[in-house]
Structure formats: C-alpha cells, structure tokens
Amino acid sequence: MSSIGDPVPDAKERHVLLGSANFDHVDNSIRSHKYTVFSFLFIATAEQFRRLGNVYFLIMSIVMYVGWYYPSVFESAITPWTTLGPLIIVVSFSLIQEGYTDFNRYLGDNETNRDCAMVLVTEDSGPTKNVMHTPPKKSWPMLIPQLSLNTASMGDGGNITLQKVQRRDIRPGHLVYIKNRDMIPADIVILASSNEEGGAYVETS
C-alpha cells in the first residue's frame, strides 16, 4: 500500500526543458462538447432512453405495435401511434435542445482554444513549431521580470521576443508571459513575477 508522496510504480521519468517546447505530448486544447457530427444521433438518442419514462413508453409502443399489426399474436384495440407519436415528438425536441447546447459548447471551445497567449522565443528560432528548441544560456527566471513588449537582450544567447500563439498550441516547456489581469491560458508553474517579492495572486471567481 502506497502513501502520498511515494513514487508511482513503473512510472517513466519525464523531463521538461524550460524554453524548449515539446511537441511530442498532447496539446493545450480543451474540449467540453460531448458529440461529433457522426456520433450525435447515436449517443444522444441513447442518452434519451436512460430516462425510465421514455423506456416505459417505448416498450408500451412496441407491445401495441405487435398487437395492432400482428393480431395472430394478440389483439390491440389502440393503434401504437397514439403512444409512439408523442414519444417521437418529445425525444426529437430533446435532441434538438441537446444538439443546440452542445453546439454552443463547441463554439465556446473553439473561441477559447483560438485565444492568443504570449510565449517567450528567441529571434533565431523562427515562427515554426520548433521555435524554442534552442534554450537561452541565461537564466530564464532572472530575465522574465525585465521583459516588456519589446525585445530583451540575452548577450551571447540572442534576443528574446514575445510571440503570439493560440492557446491550443502551448506545449510543455513553453515559457508563457502573463500580464496583470490576463486569463491564465494553461496549467502553469510560476517561475518569476514582476512583484517586488516575486509573488502572484490568482482570482478564481
């Protein structure tokens, strides 16, 4: 039995090099919508019949259908469409509402994923995915508080610039530059702050 703080058995070590984005791992995109165009009809319909009321009326409709169209089995005096028709209408309205809600979640996900964030890159890295494969020689935490929207000199390591990237393109190893009142674009570890004591305050409300 393991306790808190014990290493995970057979866990592979994972090293993150600061300033060197690792594109082999998962990206930073979020997904809160549940369906795709192809899975919506099947999954959403199955979700509707997790409700006992819908299951009850479906079973009653099947029984009435057999009695109406196959009188040799047993006879039913009421057409199954008196139950099946309202059930189809109710389920259809529920599917429309569910699809509309999930589509709004999809639009919200895209808006969040496409929002811009600022990452620190070296000028000689270029605007490619491998922009940060050559980490600077100076200590990043010592340099971050001195950054502005202009370039910062690194001596023999080149110049550092702030590059706009979409939130979904942030990867492990990226150094993210967050200004006061900015939304935090990813799960991050604070390396340095412009505050005198190096602290930072997060508003979660």
Side-chain angles (χ1 to χ4, degrees), residues 35 40-41 44-45 48 88-104:
Y35 312 109
F40 170 74
L41 187 60
T45 303
Q48 292 301 315
I88 292 174
I89 294 174
V90 170
V91 171
S92 297
F93 273 107
S94 298
L95 290 177
I96 292 173
Q97 182 181 17
E98 181 71 14
Y100 176 77
T101 303
D102 198 65
F103 182 69
N104 284 335

Side-chain angles (χ1 to χ4, degrees), residues 19 120-137 140 151-152 154-163:
L120 280 65
V121 300
T122 54
E123 282 189 342
D124 56 354
S125 299
T128 62
K129 280 190 173 182
N130 297 324
V131 291
M132 305 186 76
H133 275 199
T134 304
K137 296 180 180 180
W140 283 99
T151 60
M154 292 176 53
D156 58 354
N159 290 330
I160 290 180
T161 59
L162 296 174
Q163 183 184 63

Side-chain angles (χ1 to χ4, degrees), residues 1-117:
M1 181 176 179
S2 60
S3 59
I4 297 176
D6 290 343
V8 180
D10 301 327
K12 295 182 179 179
E13 291 187 0
R14 179 179 174 185
H15 300 279
V16 176
L17 182 61
L18 297 183
S20 179
N22 190 333
F23 290 92
D24 295 330
H25 292 285
V26 67
D27 61 16
N28 190 50
S29 60
I30 65 169
R31 176 181 174 179
S32 62
H33 60 281
K34 299 190 294 184
Y35 312 109
T36 65
V37 175
F38 303 103
S39 67
F40 170 74
L41 187 60
F42 302 101
I43 298 178
T45 303
E47 289 287 333
Q48 292 301 315
F49 287 98
R50 294 180 62 181
R51 302 174 182 176
L52 294 180
N54 290 343
V55 174
Y56 170 79
F57 285 109
L58 178 63
I59 294 174
M60 291 299 298
S61 299
I62 294 174
V63 172
M64 294 168 65
Y65 180 89
V66 173
W68 183 263
Y69 290 101
Y70 300 94
S72 59
V73 179
F74 64 89
E75 293 186 3
S76 174
I78 304 176
T79 174
W81 296 105
T82 57
T83 301
L84 190 59
L87 177 62
I88 292 174
I89 294 174
V90 170
V91 171
S92 297
F93 273 107
S94 298
L95 290 177
I96 292 173
Q97 182 181 17
E98 181 71 14
Y100 176 77
T101 303
D102 198 65
F103 182 69
N104 284 335
R105 286 195 292 262
Y106 167 77
L107 294 178
D109 291 345
N110 278 345
E111 182 178 356
T112 300
N113 291 329
R114 291 175 181 175
D115 279 347
C116 289

Side-chain angles (χ1 to χ4, degrees), residues 133-174:
H133 275 199
T134 304
K137 296 180 180 180
K138 270 193 176 181
S139 172
W140 283 99
M142 293 298 293
L143 183 63
I144 294 172
Q146 305 169 15
L147 282 174
S148 64
L149 292 180
N150 302 318
T151 60
S153 176
M154 292 176 53
D156 58 354
N159 290 330
I160 290 180
T161 59
L162 296 174
Q163 183 184 63
K164 277 188 177 181
V165 298
Q166 294 183 346
R167 289 188 179 186
R168 60 186 174 188
D169 293 328
I170 297 176
R171 295 294 198 279
H174 264 143

